[in-house]
Amino acid sequence: MRVVFMGTPEFAAKALEALVEAGYELPLVVTQPDRRAGRGNKLAFSDVKAKALQLGLEVYQPDRIRAPEVLERLREAAPEAIVVAAYGRILPPEILELPPLGCLNIHGSLLPAYRGAAPIQRALLDGQKVTGVTVMKMDAGMDTGDMLLQKVYLVPEAMDCGGLFEALAELGARALLEALPAWAQGRLEARPQPAEGVSYAPKLGREEERIDWKETAEKIRCRIRAFSPAPGANTLFNGKEIKILSAERATEREGSALEAGGAGAPAGTVLRLIKGKGPVVAAGEGALLLTQLRPPGKNAMSGDAYVNGYRLSPGQRFQ
């Protein structure tokens, strides 16, 4: 089967590699243009481009997906199907209608929940314990197409966004290899998404990275997981921004405020220091043991190393 692949991040690169290993013919890989990134503002290309070049595939990086020459380039590739995974642009109707088998999308949620750009991060931010992937036949809407196949994933308690991205990328690749031949052979039925359970997952904003210590310990922990390992949920300590990369709910004993001067310690107060682990910090309800932090301009370090390196003491506050 001739398949054109469209995608950008690592989540999509897994599916591209799976298609090649399964023997599909890929005349063209479409991905976002190279962007400048990092401290040196150097030109960097997407994970999909890196994987495509490694596999010896032809790469196409249009600036505008709706430009007439894009449709012509896709026609020349003559795909039987187009597979899309986190490409980052809404496809126009003329592309959706081009391949005989349609455009199939791998989405990182159990649709109709979490339609949009950030389903994986939003699921963690909301504390979801169950998520998954959906392979759907795309239409002109935002993740509203008929569903071909879904795979459920139980989210481990301590898994962060990086781990969940990797797990769902592998699950999505397996789901695609199951759905694509079955759809081509007429063994799969395209099912409309149910009207109940619709939710949206817009791209996360910079302001959402900031920790509000007045929230419950569990809500703060979910925020930390959703933004880890990058860009990292942040807070202020001694007037400087610091990233909190992982945290655990403190036990009742660990979260007691006796060493910080009483049970009324304000949210964000360091309650105690646990040797070999890190600082316990008060939340609006409950407390968190901070297990990995990244100070400004430094590499990530354990909570214990941070306590020792920055001479943390009970009664100090994160804000």
Side-chain angles (χ1 to χ4, degrees):
M1 189 188 300
R2 285 174 65 84
V3 175
V4 163
F5 186 86
M6 305 179 74
T8 301
E10 177 63 22
F11 178 84
K14 295 275 188 182
L16 173 61
E17 186 174 29
L19 285 171
V20 173
E21 290 178 353
Y24 286 86
E25 181 182 357
L26 283 104
L28 193 64
V29 173
V30 184
T31 190
Q32 292 287 327
D34 299 344
R35 311 286 188 195
R36 296 196 176 277
R39 292 183 180 179
N41 200 30
K42 295 179 181 179
L43 206 60
F45 45 75
S46 70
D47 292 316
V48 162
K49 180 177 179 179
K51 181 58 68 175
L53 294 176
Q54 178 189 330
L55 296 169
L57 302 174
E58 183 177 352
V59 176
Y60 182 41
Q61 298 175 272
D63 289 317
R64 292 177 52 248
I65 195 62
R66 295 177 180 269
E69 60 269 21
V70 176
L71 180 61
E72 186 57 35
R73 185 72 178 273
L74 292 174
R75 280 195 182 122
E76 291 172 1
E80 296 169 73
I82 294 177
V83 171
V84 183
Y87 174 59
R89 294 286 185 273
I90 295 177
L91 304 187
E94 54 267 27
I95 292 180
L96 295 174
E97 297 165 3
L98 175 63
L101 294 173
C103 296
L104 274 58
N105 176 253
I106 310 168
H107 188 72
S109 77
L110 297 174
L111 292 170
Y114 296 105
R115 294 172 177 170
I120 299 175
Q121 298 98 320
R122 293 285 177 191
L124 284 175
L125 196 59
D126 291 345
Q128 296 291 349
K129 294 179 175 14
V130 179
T131 185
V133 295
T134 303
V135 179
M136 67 175 176
K137 188 174 184 292
M138 297 174 70
D139 62 14
M142 172 68 77
D143 300 321
T144 55
D146 290 349
M147 302 182 297
L148 302 180
L149 185 69
Q150 290 189 310
K151 297 279 188 183
V152 173
Y153 184 77
L154 303 181
V155 184
E157 176 77 8
M159 180 174 276
D160 65 12
C161 193
L164 188 54
F165 257 98
E166 185 175 347
L168 293 187
E170 293 175 356
L171 187 63
R174 293 201 303 272
L176 174 66
L177 293 186
E178 184 179 335
L180 187 52
W183 174 244
Q185 295 161 19
R187 294 186 286 108
L188 267 187
E189 179 184 354
R191 298 173 291 114
Q193 295 185 30
E196 301 79 25
V198 175
S199 62
Y200 295 92
K203 187 177 179 180
L204 281 82
R206 178 75 170 85
E207 68 282 357
E208 293 180 272
E209 299 169 21
R210 178 55 59 89
I211 293 171
D212 179 0
W213 292 101
K214 294 184 180 67
E215 290 188 320
T216 67
E218 181 57 18
K219 283 189 176 181
I220 295 171
R221 192 180 76 92
C222 288
R223 187 171 304 278
I224 291 168
R225 293 168 67 205
F227 287 98
S228 184
N234 64 70
T235 185
L236 293 178
F237 186 70
N238 289 336
K240 294 182 179 180
E241 185 179 278
I242 181 172
K243 306 282 188 177
I244 311 296
L245 301 181
S246 68
E248 303 171 2
R249 287 187 297 267
T251 65
E252 186 174 348
R253 181 182 179 280
E254 290 171 343
S256 69
L258 296 179
E259 295 183 23
T269 301
V270 177
L271 301 178
R272 63 176 65 231
L273 309 174
I274 300 181
K275 189 171 183 178
K277 292 185 177 181
V280 174
V281 181
E285 179 184 315
L288 285 175
L289 169 62
L290 308 186
T291 53
Q292 189 178 44
L293 306 91
R294 186 169 68 235
K298 304 289 185 180
N299 293 326
M301 61 179 64
S302 69
D304 187 53
Y306 183 79
V307 167
N308 294 330
Y310 289 82
R311 298 181 180 179
L312 214 61
S313 59
Q316 292 180 297
R317 285 188 68 189
F318 290 93
Q319 295 179 326

